[in-house]
Amino acid sequence: MGHGLLKSLDEERRERRASGESFPAVIAIDLRELPSEHRALCDESFTGDVCDEKMLERLLASYQIGSIYHLAALLSTRSEFVPEIAHGVNVGGTLNLLRIAAEEAANNGRPVQFFFPSSIAAYGMPDLATKTAAGEVGEDQFLQPHTMYGCNKVAGENLGNYYAHHYRKLASDRMEFPVDFRSIRFPGIISADTVPSGGTSDYGPEMLHAAARGDDYACFVRRDARIPFMTMPEAIDAIRRLMAAPKIALSRTVYNVQSFNPSASEFLEEVREHFEDAKTEFEPDLARQSIIDSWPAACDDAAARKDWGWVPTYDLSNAFSEYLVPRIRARYSE
Ligand code: AKB
């Protein structure tokens, strides 16, 4: 997601600057040094850890910050092996950045925009019958997550809402609304360019990329497993669209989006439309399957459509034919 966002910001940055307009500097921070092609997409890049408060304070002292896009996280599967570490990164890191945003806003006298990628992991469907009956789940339903990652995402959303509306409520020198917090609960995301790791929705992209490579794939969910997905370009477009929306148009701080929600076997059928020899077998991992069963089959994204013009670019079929398969074939033919 970080690479896709840098690419999108860079496109606008070059366009605006070429026409003589100003565009804020883009500063990227990652745990590991950015590859050279990513460094070319931003004005400066640093290696650093969102849990390192001293590093963040040094950054605060070096730049005037207008917007923060906070993408650092341990995903759902990895977090279940190290839940306390996940809490430290996913919530501690988020809190550090929210504090930076609020202090910067107070320094400059204007709110700092803050994008927080939440997740369908924030939901906790109590059982399969309820999941099936619930259909499209709204943003304020079933918010009892079954994973540490989901708990962290709900905590991040609530912290963002606090910094946006209630920060230092009793302090006489408080600033009203220092952080313009905006969040999207992302479904599973499928990229043609990268294969994710550490997530539980990874079975979709893993299945597709394995088929494209001609590799065997043991799918760790049941054939009937169903959650919402979208493509990476749609996720990046949704972030940019939400962050560009006038604040007055936004009725909430956290939004659902989704593009398609196939079962795992429907997903495999689509894969085999393009890679007919795909050697995929279903070998459910019951523990990971229980995470998928706790996530909604579909999300109601009416608020995002109404408030800031979210519309999916693809359905399942044209996501494969127009984006995923052409890009993946090119990637594996290199
Ligand atoms: C995961 O699977 O953990 C993530 C997510 C759905 O937020 N991709």
Side-chain angles (χ1 to χ4, degrees):
M1 186 174 274
H3 175 217
L5 182 60
L6 280 178
K7 198 163 173 299
S8 172
L9 290 168
D10 176 55
E11 284 163 6
E12 184 180 353
R13 177 179 70 138
R14 290 177 187 277
E15 204 176 291
R16 295 262 293 270
R17 289 177 182 172
S19 58
E21 292 177 64
S22 67
F23 190 81
V26 176
I27 316 294
I29 307 169
D30 199 342
L31 269 180
R32 290 173 296 279
E33 187 176 3
L34 265 62
S36 57
E37 67 269 25
H38 298 183
R39 288 202 302 274
L41 301 174
C42 48
D43 292 276
E44 288 193 77
S45 66
F46 299 95
T47 54
D49 184 333
V50 286
C51 298
D52 180 349
E53 293 181 66
K54 293 291 174 226
M55 181 275 289
L56 294 174
E57 281 163 14
R58 284 196 301 275
L59 259 185
L60 178 66
S62 312
Y63 297 97
Q64 208 169 71
I65 300 171
S67 302
I68 294 176
Y69 293 81
H70 167 34
L71 305 181
L74 269 65
L75 298 183
S76 58
T77 291
R78 179 143 177 250
S79 296
E80 285 312 301
F81 292 97
V82 286
E84 292 76 13
I85 291 173
H87 180 86
V89 173
N90 294 345
V91 179
T94 301
L95 187 62
N96 287 343
L97 288 171
L98 284 168
R99 181 171 68 79
I100 291 287
E103 289 177 3
E104 182 71 358
N107 293 341
N108 300 333
R110 61 176 179 277
V112 170
Q113 265 203 335
F114 193 106
F115 178 72
F116 178 73
S118 188
S119 161
I120 55 173
Y123 296 108
M125 311 309 291
D127 51 59
L128 263 182
T130 307
K131 170 172 177 168
T132 307
E136 288 194 349
V137 168
E139 283 93 347
D140 301 319
Q141 295 179 284
F142 301 108
L143 293 174
Q144 294 82 30
H146 295 196
T147 59
M148 174 55 91
Y149 173 72
C151 292
N152 298 162
K153 287 305 182 184
V154 172
E157 293 174 9
N158 288 329
L159 285 169
N161 192 57
Y162 166 73
Y163 274 81
H165 299 110
H166 309 294
Y167 184 55
R168 300 181 72 241
K169 194 180 273 290
L170 302 183
S172 57
D173 62 340
R174 73 188 292 264
M175 176 182 179
E176 278 240 299
F177 317 125
V179 180
D180 177 359
F181 180 83
R182 304 183 186 199
S183 180
I184 294 174
R185 284 197 191 126
F186 284 115
I189 297 176
I190 311 171
S191 168
D193 306 323
T194 54
V195 183
S197 65
T200 315
S201 64
D202 295 356
Y203 67 87
E206 286 176 353
M207 187 194 297
L208 172 57
H209 281 266
R213 293 191 304 264
D215 294 345
D216 293 357
Y217 180 63
C219 182
F220 57 80
V221 298
R222 296 188 312 264
R223 290 175 181 278
D224 68 318
R226 188 183 299 273
I227 58 170
F229 281 94
M230 70 194 313
T231 66
M232 183 61 81
E234 291 173 292
I236 301 303
D237 176 61
I239 295 171
R240 298 301 316 278
R241 196 178 285 273
L242 171 58
M243 294 296 270
K247 181 89 173 104
I248 196 164
L250 305 182
S251 61
R252 50 183 319 116
T253 50
V254 181
Y255 289 89
N256 282 339
V257 294
Q258 71 164 34
S259 298
F260 40 83
N261 65 323
S263 68
S265 60
E266 289 162 353
F267 194 93
L268 177 55
E269 280 167 32
E270 198 64 38
V271 168
R272 284 182 169 152
E273 284 290 316
H274 302 272
F275 303 102
E276 55 188 16
D277 301 332
K279 291 165 283 195
T280 298
E281 296 301 332
F282 288 93
E283 297 175 17
D285 171 330
L286 298 185
R288 295 183 84 181
Q289 178 65 55
S290 72
I291 294 176
I292 293 294
D293 287 343
S294 74
W295 294 353
C299 290
D300 177 351
D301 59 8
R305 291 170 184 259
K306 174 178 172 295
D307 288 4
W308 46 274
W310 155 250
V311 176
T313 306
Y314 301 114
D315 58 30
L316 178 66
S317 173
N318 59 26
F320 274 69
S321 59
E322 294 175 19
Y323 162 61
L324 290 166
V325 174
R327 285 278 284 269
I328 280 181
R329 284 197 193 282
R331 169 196 165 113
Y332 290 114
S333 63
E334 283 164 8

